Amino acid sequence: MNKEVKIFYTSDWHFGHKNIIRYCNRPFDLSDEGVAQCTDFIKKEYCSVVGPDDFVFFLGDAFFGGSKKKYAFRDLVQSMTGKKS
């Protein structure tokens, strides 16, 4: 039996961007804790849809911050399901 492989295109997640909570009316506090909760929520929802063999193309604005955050968020995205590009 063949398993259906899906292809997803996504952008503008803004991990680590506190003000995106306000700009996009996301239901989290404007605090570091709120940003962490938002990140956890996005990851949980993503993993509930994307399977391990699915392909995901990130088209931009995945995270907000300097080079330290860049590596932390790269690791976060790599820990999520799917084959990413």
Side-chain angles (χ1 to χ4, degrees):
M1 185 167 165
N2 291 335
K3 181 181 179 237
E4 181 181 332
V5 174
K6 298 175 186 165
I7 299 172
F8 296 92
Y9 297 90
T10 186
S11 68
D12 299 300
W13 290 21
H14 293 270
F15 285 129
H17 189 183
K18 191 181 293 184
N19 282 329
I20 203 69
I21 291 171
R22 180 179 55 222
Y23 299 153
C24 294
N25 200 28
R26 293 181 179 177
F28 303 96
D29 291 335
L30 289 171
S31 65
D32 291 340
E33 182 179 340
V35 170
Q37 290 172 343
C38 185
T39 298
D40 290 343
F41 177 82
I42 292 170
K43 182 178 179 180
K44 178 181 172 193
E45 292 298 309
Y46 169 99
C47 291
S48 75
V49 173
V50 177
D53 295 324
D54 294 338
F55 290 91
V56 182
F57 294 88
F58 288 87
L59 303 178
D61 294 338
F63 67 92
F64 182 83
S67 60
K68 272 185 159 179
K69 284 187 177 181
K70 175 182 177 180
Y71 295 111
F73 290 117
R74 180 193 64 194
D75 292 345
L76 167 70
V77 171
Q78 290 303 318
S79 75
M80 297 162 72
T81 53
K83 298 173 183 174
K84 291 154 286 297
S85 179

